[in-house]
Amino acid sequence: LLGGARGDPFAVDWLGGWRPGPGGQGVGIVLAGEPVSLGLAAFTSLLVVAVLVYSWRYFEEPPRRSFPALILLFQAGMCGFCLTGDLFNSFVFFELMGVVAYALTGFRVEERRPVQGALAFGIVNSLGGYAMLLGIALLYARTGELGLAQIGRGLDGRHPDALVLAAFVLVASGLLVKAAAVPFHFWLPDAHAVAPSPVCMLLSGVMVELGVFGLARLYWTVFAGPGGLPPHAVTRTLVTVGVVTALLGAAMSWRQRHLKRLLAFSTVSHTGLFLIGVGVLTPQGTAGTAMYVLAHGCVKAALFACAGILLDRYASVDEHELYGRARELPVTGALFLVCGLAVCGLPPFGTSLGKAVAEEAAGHTGHWLTAVFVLVSAVTGGAVLRAGLRVFAGAGPRPYDGEHGAGTAHEPRQRGGADAEAESTDADGTDDEDGTPGDEEPETGTRLRRIPGTMLAVPAALLLLALVSGLVPQWATGTASAARFFTSHEGYAAAVLDGRTPVHTAVPAADWTSTGVLLGLLSTALGIGVTLLGLRRHRAATLTERLLLPLRRLQSGHIGDYVAWTVAGIALLTLLLAPGTHTPG
């Protein structure tokens, strides 16, 4: 990202030396590393290192040999997706990501639930891949090219029509499936609930965000020119999908008691905010989203790391079952709660800075969008804080098991201990036999008696990075310059096809403002209020749960339902885009 500030924004490499001819036509494959792509690839690699360190003592002995190989393949797919300048190769890396992610989600193949989650993941994402491939075929039929820059130039000399609209809808649908935007999102909570916690760190930390990145790059490189799609139609579509995704994800995260599903729906909700930031189609919105994505990825990965500690210590990630049982883990509890404040948007975390810049850009489109950012951050952060206070502090009255209609409180046995390194009271692992609904099992094979230092150091380092990203001035300056280059349709084509580096122009830094700080403090205060509301059982909370019950029933677990919603999502995108796209008579 800082490359933009140094005036060297693009690194272009034609594999095998197969450069395009004078007219831009060619058969070569290009890797184009502009600052946003390079920054995202670097962040992906950073998270991969964090996951490998965290996993060093996480699994029992046999899987330790195969797990790093799959993670490195996953890294290859994600980094390739960031750097390729060829649309077909984007699909290839898209599928490589998917195949490895399927294997990682169902890593515990001897159990039924992980295999079911991986199957839903695989089928829905494969359907998205087929849609993407069909859209690529339409663009190839129209332009005879597969490179992003070449397709963009090929469309610039033509009038937009229904074929261009159909191509965008199909490719965008595949990317939105990966991004888990509503109504393409149903696979994500099911996959997160059963995938190993280190895998969830990558799925929510960076893979989902790559779908948003791919959609933004697709628009700016291919469809932002005169032969593409009208900006107002694209803005209306992405903002609408983003708002629905953000609100539904926030509501569903509030309804969850399974910590990994809670965090998964929080990821869905923040995907909506990222889509709004990208959808306003301005450099400021893109800059804010880039900062938000990276800081959020650190925080969300840290939260899943803490959830993994709970699972391997207590064989449970159920908020009600774990009520007060993790008092002996003050370090993990502190990390979890501080992450909750970062999700709320507490300054000076990078999540707050990215949210402030993105919501300011969105506010120029409609002031109500600023309220969406504040509300969603408060609800998702409040859900994390509520769960953390219950699990690590035993706050509020003891939860009742409303899920099974028993009407009696859980009676988990309390543990002693003063720190994260305390030993379990039972050496044979027979203590705390209460399991969560779904029969969770520790992913270490046996329950942890001591928390390895690596499993605490990784979330602490990621949280520190999220904090530092909001404090370093060069970060804001470099991101603003990177976003300016990223949103230049002509500049990308000139750099890739003509070898001309775009002229570096000074841009204002995407930095803190008094309004952004106040909105961050407001969303944090509301998040704390939502937390206190959630810790109490009263009529308003019960009414809220009843109102959200229909939304929960949509998460049926049936693959056929998820496929139907994916098809409905493709139709929805077409309906949102079509009114603003005029075809020549």
Side-chain angles (χ1 to χ4, degrees):
L1 283 173
L2 299 183
R6 296 195 301 267
D8 184 22
F10 281 93
V12 179
D13 183 26
W14 289 90
L15 301 185
W18 290 83
R19 303 184 62 85
Q25 295 81 12
V27 296
I29 297 174
V30 64
L31 298 178
E34 41 77 31
V36 172
S37 300
L38 291 170
L40 193 52
F43 176 66
T44 298
S45 300
L46 176 67
L47 271 191
V48 166
V49 172
V51 166
L52 291 175
V53 173
Y54 179 85
S55 305
W56 185 251
R57 297 180 61 190
Y58 186 80
F59 290 107
E60 54 187 323
E61 185 65 26
R64 192 182 295 177
R65 293 189 290 269
S66 58
F67 184 78
L70 288 173
I71 290 293
L72 292 177
L73 279 175
F74 199 23
Q75 178 192 13
M78 291 187 289
C79 289
F81 185 81
C82 292
L83 300 177
T84 183
D86 184 276
L87 189 55
F88 182 78
N89 282 280
S90 294
F91 165 77
V92 171
F93 287 118
F94 178 96
E95 286 299 292
L96 177 60
M97 273 192 288
V99 169
V100 180
Y102 311 153
L104 289 170
T105 300
F107 192 75
R108 291 174 292 171
V109 71
E110 70 279 359
E111 300 178 23
R112 178 175 56 88
R113 292 170 62 244
V115 174
Q116 289 178 333
L119 184 61
F121 183 179
I123 290 177
V124 174
N125 277 261
S126 294
L127 183 61
Y130 293 143
M132 185 176 180
L133 185 60
L134 182 56
I136 294 172
L138 293 178
L139 290 173
Y140 182 72
R142 170 55 58 90
T143 64
E145 297 287 350
L146 291 173
L148 293 169
Q150 291 99 321
I151 296 174
R153 277 196 176 172
L155 293 181
D156 288 347
R158 302 171 182 267
H159 294 289
D161 55 16
L163 186 146
V164 173
L165 170 65
F168 179 81
V169 167
L170 290 168
V171 179
S173 296
L175 296 170
L176 288 174
V177 168
K178 191 69 72 179
V182 173
F184 306 99
H185 71 287
F186 292 99
W187 63 269
L188 184 72
D190 291 351
H192 277 62
V194 298
S197 298
V199 176
C200 295
M201 293 169 66
L202 287 177
L203 294 181
S204 268
V206 68
M207 191 200 76
V208 167
E209 288 80 354
L210 285 180
V212 179
F213 161 79
L215 184 60
R217 184 178 59 180
L218 174 73
Y219 171 76
W220 287 111
T221 58
V222 175
F223 293 96
L229 298 173
H232 66 274
V234 177
T235 294
R236 179 181 64 242
T237 301
L238 296 185
V239 169
T240 300
V241 174
V243 169
V244 174
T245 300
L247 295 178
L248 187 143
M252 289 297 292
S253 70
W254 174 255
R255 183 65 180 81
Q256 303 304 308
R257 53 185 275 194
H258 189 286
L259 295 184
K260 292 171 74 174
R261 293 180 71 90
L262 185 156
L263 296 176
F265 277 112
S266 173
T267 298
V268 171
S269 182
H270 282 85
T271 292
L273 298 183
F274 302 152
L275 285 173
I276 295 173
V278 167
V280 297
L281 303 183
T282 64
Q284 182 186 19
T286 301
T289 303
M291 289 187 288
Y292 204 174
V293 161
L294 300 188
H296 168 268
C298 290
V299 172
K300 190 57 61 69
L303 282 168
F304 273 109
C306 294
I309 291 174
L310 292 173
L311 179 58
D312 286 345
R313 179 78 164 184
Y314 305 110
S316 174
V317 285
D318 185 88
E319 178 184 337
H320 292 185
E321 290 281 354
L322 291 175
Y323 176 80
R325 292 171 66 183
R327 288 191 181 99
E328 64 178 357
L329 303 176
V331 177
T332 305
L335 291 172
F336 195 92
L337 293 174
V338 174
C339 285
L341 293 174
V343 173
C344 286
L346 176 67
F349 283 96
T351 49
S352 180
L353 176 58
K355 179 177 78 71
V357 176
E359 68 189 0
E360 181 181 353
H364 296 309
T365 301
H367 293 298
W368 61 277
L369 290 176
T370 301
V372 172
F373 274 84
V374 173
L375 176 64
V376 167
S377 299
V379 174
T380 53
V384 173
L385 291 173
R386 179 204 71 207
L389 288 173
R390 275 187 177 155
V391 171
F392 294 99
R398 189 180 301 277
Y400 285 82
D401 192 4
E403 294 295 326
H404 294 84
T408 58
H410 289 295
E411 299 292 341
R413 290 180 288 278
Q414 302 298 323
R415 288 174 178 253
D419 57 44
E421 297 292 324
E423 291 190 4
S424 173
T425 56
D426 288 344
D428 60 359
T430 59
D431 191 34
D432 295 327
E433 290 296 330
D434 300 331
T436 61
D439 300 324
E440 299 283 353
E441 293 291 339
E443 295 166 343
T444 46
T446 58
R447 300 190 190 189
L448 289 177
R449 299 178 61 211
R450 299 175 64 87
I451 308 301
T454 53
M455 292 176 64
L456 287 173
V458 167
L462 290 173
L463 187 58
L464 179 62
L465 182 59
L467 176 62
V468 170
S469 67
L471 296 174
V472 178
Q474 292 83 354
W475 173 246
T477 303
T479 305
S481 296
R484 177 72 65 180
F485 291 119
F486 185 80
T487 55
S488 174
H489 176 74
E490 296 82 5
Y492 181 89
V496 172
L497 300 179
D498 305 330
R500 292 188 287 107
T501 301
V503 178
H504 176 73
T505 57
V507 295
D511 212 342
W512 291 103
T513 63
S514 57
T515 302
V517 172
L518 290 175
L519 288 174
L521 293 174
L522 174 62
S523 62
T524 304
L526 289 176
I528 294 173
V530 168
T531 302
L532 298 177
L533 179 68
L535 290 174
R536 299 181 60 86
R537 298 290 301 184
H538 47 66
R539 292 181 179 179
T542 303
L543 177 61
T544 301
E545 291 179 356
R546 289 177 178 175
L547 291 175
L548 294 177
L549 185 58
L551 291 178
R552 185 176 181 183
R553 286 174 175 168
L554 293 178
Q555 194 77 32
S556 64
H558 297 297
I559 297 176
D561 293 346
Y562 297 171
V563 171
W565 279 109
T566 301
V567 175
I570 296 174
L572 175 64
L573 289 182
T574 305
L575 292 175
L576 289 171
L577 276 169
T581 306
H582 302 284
T583 58

